Amino acid sequence: MQEELINKVMQEVMRRVGSAPAENPKESREGGQTLTTSRADLVQVTEYVGVGLGDTQGIVIANLDPAIHKLMGVDDKYRSIGVIGGRVGAGPQIMAADEAVKATNTDILSVQMPRDCKGGAGHGNLIIFGAEDVSDARRAVEVTLEVLPKYFGDVYANDQGHLELQYTARASRCLTHVFNTPEGKAFGLILGALAVIGVLMIDTAVKAADVEVVGYACPAKGTSLTNEVMIWVSGDSGAVRQSVVAGREVGIKLLSAWGQEAKPVTQPYI
Amino acid sequence: MQEELINKVMQEVMRRVGSAPAENPKESREGGQTLTTSRADLVQVTEYVGVGLGDTQGIVIANLDPAIHKLMGVDDKYRSIGVIGGRVGAGPQIMAADEAVKATNTDILSVQMPRDCKGGAGHGNLIIFGAEDVSDARRAVEVTLEVLPKYFGDVYANDQGHLELQYTARASRCLTHVFNTPEGKAFGLILGALAVIGVLMIDTAVKAADVEVVGYACPAKGTSLTNEVMIWVSGDSGAVRQSVVAGREVGIKLLSAWGQEAKPVTQPYI
Amino acid sequence: MQEELINKVMQEVMRRVGSAPAENPKESREGGQTLTTSRADLVQVTEYVGVGLGDTQGIVIANLDPAIHKLMGVDDKYRSIGVIGGRVGAGPQIMAADEAVKATNTDILSVQMPRDCKGGAGHGNLIIFGAEDVSDARRAVEVTLEVLPKYFGDVYANDQGHLELQYTARASRCLTHVFNTPEGKAFGLILGALAVIGVLMIDTAVKAADVEVVGYACPAKGTSLTNEVMIWVSGDSGAVRQSVVAGREVGIKLLSAWGQEAKPVTQPYI
């Protein structure tokens, strides 16, 4: 009888509160896996490739219409495009796409960063790969979705904000496209949101190691008006990593100042 | 006794979860009706006209202050203005305002699209009608609120994003003002958010029928940095509708890729 | 037995609805107090000063790195900076910082307003104080956090939007920096979000008293694409206050049009 009563109450609760459970960004995501295969069956659209963390979706278009080529400013030689887009995060998707261009015969045609983040303080993303062959475009999208969970490993979040740290020993063409960082050299991203947290993170990062600051962005400049402050750095790989780690340490402490721990979305990798 | 217990639990639940039920954009809205009359009584402000879907409100100002005329860049001949503004959606309100300018002796003075959407991926809106007579301005606002539910009919949403499709056989002055589309001709809007979904929708739409693409917008261009990709098209009314319907079909499938159905806010009309 | 049953149900409810209670912006904040001391102990970062309303945090950097001086465009003579940043609100933090520059030996170096507000319709903020001595920078941040609750007193909010009213008899250098309002004279801010509500508030405000309109902002101009319309006014202090109060009165009524009262975040002070 108790069980029955509880069920009855739960139905009423769910009806009043809304049918879906309150969104928890970390738990509602894909648990570090892209569910490419099973979902593709469900979606039944040829162009669909898969979904991943950060409300990210990947598609491929085998023969882009010439009218769309023109609208998007895409060179006609790219008969096929692969597209990645997400609501939450730009850095993880960009890092993953950087691996994908290394691994495939594709080019990065466009990276755009809407002000989105599902109410969070940061960006969403739209990344377009160009290829002469559809199988290359598809492979780039698959690789991006496969490696995406890794790059959410040093994204730390709580109800107040988030931090993002990224590191690679060898930047490829996607990072060069977005950040104008030297190709083939180490790259690090140190980012804090709220912007105030980012300010201390970047000061700490440049003091921690001898790195070259390649770029700087803040709400009024270089972001899509997001509440973020960030730098990206290049140089010796050990120094870049040291700089990123120093920024991370102080950022996590500041972001936890409201009493709620700032947890990584997946497993830290840096 | 069971009823009493359930009530007691519900009170406790509502207290802990927050006094208001968790917001469900579709259910918390006005159920397809504008509650103009009863709410106007409650609000007790002469200028208040009503509220509608998308957290939209309509007001009218009989004698706009000359200082405000100047600040807003409104011609002095418009003694009265009607104003529509919403948190969620720009397309539906623009379509509804387009009907309103057809039906009344008013002009469209300004249409602005803030980056809003209550945490969603799209826009809010601010639409200003000008009139020489206050009754005309009021009528334009009333018509907009009355027809607004129709134009949420092909807005499809779930927790991951939304799609918006609009269609009219005869565009009027509001659509011309916003989209620079030919007046008196068919108009169609094909929009997807996340932007990645929009990319496939617009490619599918232009392939489906022989339409003229009047404009294109993406996060970096033509939007207020929203996570949307869209085109708007003109041409033969049958072709425009066919193009819109084709974009809708593929969009709904992609937006449902996370396993949650993308449902229309009201009744589809296209 | 009833109590036990209720507890069991509540556990289940909380599990399904999400572990945290649905966010209530007013209650989840700091209850009108900055928790500077106790939190500083927890955070254990020298630069941390405290947190306050609006998800605001304050930090201080004693010796800003020369590389960061250059990136931020900060004059080298400011060896130390104090930084305030929040997710919700720009006006309250700016008013509080204005008191802080009056009270300390610091300058305002930068005020930025990201499009944030945690899904709300307005801005977040990033405010940087410069000082030659770290104790001055720290004091400016402390003063800002201390007086911040006062300036949330005429911020009214509900699920649909918010209003913000601010008033001071003597504007200081922070207000001059942001709003270009005459230093040492009365200053008033009249702001409504949704923008449509702001339109009637500003028209009412300029009709209510003989004030000088110093500036105007709307979604397309002067904001970071937020869903707000606002003016700021100067002049005789009685007139400025009268103008602000008139805007407030009509704004509260319009914002309550959906049936939910628009309540002040703390205690009204104007």
Side-chain angles (χ1 to χ4, degrees), chain A residues 236-265:
Chain A
D236 169 73
S237 67
V240 167
R241 177 189 283 261
Q242 191 174 323
S243 176
V244 168
V245 168
R248 177 175 64 185
E249 194 178 354
V250 73
I252 288 173
K253 286 179 184 165
L254 289 189
L255 188 51
S256 304
W258 285 268
Q260 195 188 27
E261 199 187 341
K263 286 188 195 153
V265 177

Side-chain angles (χ1 to χ4, degrees), chain A residues 44-150:
Chain A
Q44 295 181 308
V45 174
T46 320
E47 293 87 351
Y48 175 78
V49 179
V51 295
L53 275 168
D55 291 286
T56 304
Q57 184 165 136
I59 64 163
V60 70
I61 299 179
N63 289 290
L64 193 66
D65 192 276
I68 305 297
H69 271 99
K70 210 181 291 175
L71 291 172
M72 290 189 162
V74 168
D75 191 319
D76 277 356
K77 75 173 180 181
Y78 301 107
R79 202 170 58 92
S80 304
I81 62 169
V83 190
I84 288 284
R87 295 282 313 271
V88 177
Q93 288 86 348
I94 290 166
M95 293 296 290
D98 198 60
E99 279 206 35
V101 287
K102 274 187 215 171
T104 61
N105 188 21
T106 55
D107 289 319
I108 292 288
L109 303 185
S110 174
V111 177
Q112 299 186 19
M113 281 178 272
R115 169 71 191 83
D116 194 352
C117 217
K118 295 188 96 170
H123 292 97
N125 59 88
L126 176 68
I127 303 173
I128 303 180
F129 299 95
E132 295 177 35
D133 196 278
V134 63
S135 63
D136 289 326
R138 176 176 288 273
R139 188 66 200 131
V141 171
E142 287 170 351
V143 170
T144 304
L145 291 172
E146 278 162 26
V147 301
L148 187 53
K150 170 180 171 184

